[in-house]
Amino acid sequence: MPTVSSEELAAAAGVNSAKLRKDFSYLGSYGTRGVGYDVEYLVYQISRELGLTQDWPVVIVGIGNLGAALANYGGFASRGFRVAALIDADPAMAGKPVAGMPVQHTDDLEKIISENGVSIGVIATPAGAAQQVCDRLVAAGVTSILNFAPTVLSVPEGVDVRKVDLSIELQILAFHEQRKAGEEAAVAEAAAAVVPPVRAAGNGRKGPDGDMPAVMPA
């Protein structure tokens, strides 16, 4: 039976082991002194608290390049999420298979959500269409939305929205790169300041070899 100690978990997570043990106690998980935690049972407890031990049907609306990439992402199933339907407003996309599923038209959005018991919707449409799609999802009973469209959505109380903006993430990385460059420049400047400049001999006389300045006695 594979086990792991709180010290190993704390080192991997970058936290204090005592704090980690206290947090795990809220899950009802108590390790065995000298043995540690049963890995399989611990994973189950954490998954249960995160709501990942049940099947969550998800619809993806907007099957362009990004929507198709999300549909093909294999990590959903392993985390308890099942893509129940792929929906797009383009009539030419209707019936087209993507990730092994036929794309359905937005005219059937409400019916699809009702028949599949969907409570989570993913929006990958252009910005101009996102709010309208969001309103229809909410009206049909969706209470959680993952928004990839580059716009801010307005939703009623009780509906949760998580926005994924790739450009913002890149801007954050650019900020860190700029900061690192500034720190490196500051270090180089500080290093240059503590190294005394080399003074050339000022008597203008040449040494015996005719090139090097003669060394004056102290």
Side-chain angles (χ1 to χ4, degrees):
M1 179 177 63
T3 60
V4 62
S5 70
S6 60
E7 287 76 16
E8 291 173 311
L9 288 172
V15 298
N16 178 274
S17 61
K19 177 70 164 57
L20 181 137
R21 289 192 294 271
K22 182 178 180 181
D23 289 345
F24 280 175
S25 70
Y26 291 118
L27 301 177
S29 180
Y30 298 92
T32 303
R33 183 179 295 275
V35 176
Y37 294 88
D38 179 338
V39 173
E40 184 176 348
Y41 185 54
L42 184 59
V43 168
Y44 165 75
Q45 288 178 302
I46 294 174
S47 297
R48 180 193 62 198
E49 289 299 315
L50 293 175
L52 302 180
T53 56
Q54 58 179 299
D55 177 58
W56 292 100
V58 176
V59 295
I60 301 176
V61 184
I63 314 302
N65 292 333
L66 178 57
L70 293 171
N72 281 284
Y73 175 58
F76 288 135
S78 63
R79 299 298 179 89
F81 301 99
R82 173 176 57 86
V83 178
L86 306 176
I87 305 173
D88 197 272
D90 185 358
M93 289 289 294
K96 180 180 178 180
V98 174
M101 297 182 63
V103 176
Q104 302 181 64
H105 195 265
T106 50
D107 287 348
D108 299 321
L109 185 147
E110 288 79 9
K111 178 183 177 182
I112 293 168
I113 291 173
S114 176
E115 290 181 347
N116 290 277
V118 174
S119 58
I120 300 176
V122 178
I123 297 178
T125 67
Q131 185 62 58
Q132 181 182 9
V133 169
C134 175
D135 293 341
R136 290 184 63 186
L137 288 172
V138 172
V142 170
T143 53
S144 293
I145 293 173
L146 183 61
N147 177 34
F148 283 91
T151 187
V152 177
L153 298 177
S154 176
V155 296
E157 186 176 354
V159 176
D160 295 309
V161 175
R162 296 288 297 177
K163 178 173 174 55
V164 181
D165 192 322
L166 301 180
S167 63
I168 288 179
E169 299 304 320
L170 287 173
Q171 287 175 344
I172 292 172
L173 291 177
F175 165 75
H176 288 300
E177 287 299 314
Q178 180 75 7
R179 186 181 64 179
K180 285 185 287 186
E183 291 173 351
E184 290 173 358
V187 170
E189 184 178 348
V194 298
V195 177
V198 177
R199 293 187 302 171
N203 57 11
R205 294 189 300 168
K206 294 184 178 180
D209 59 2
D211 292 319
M212 300 297 294
V215 178
M216 298 293 292

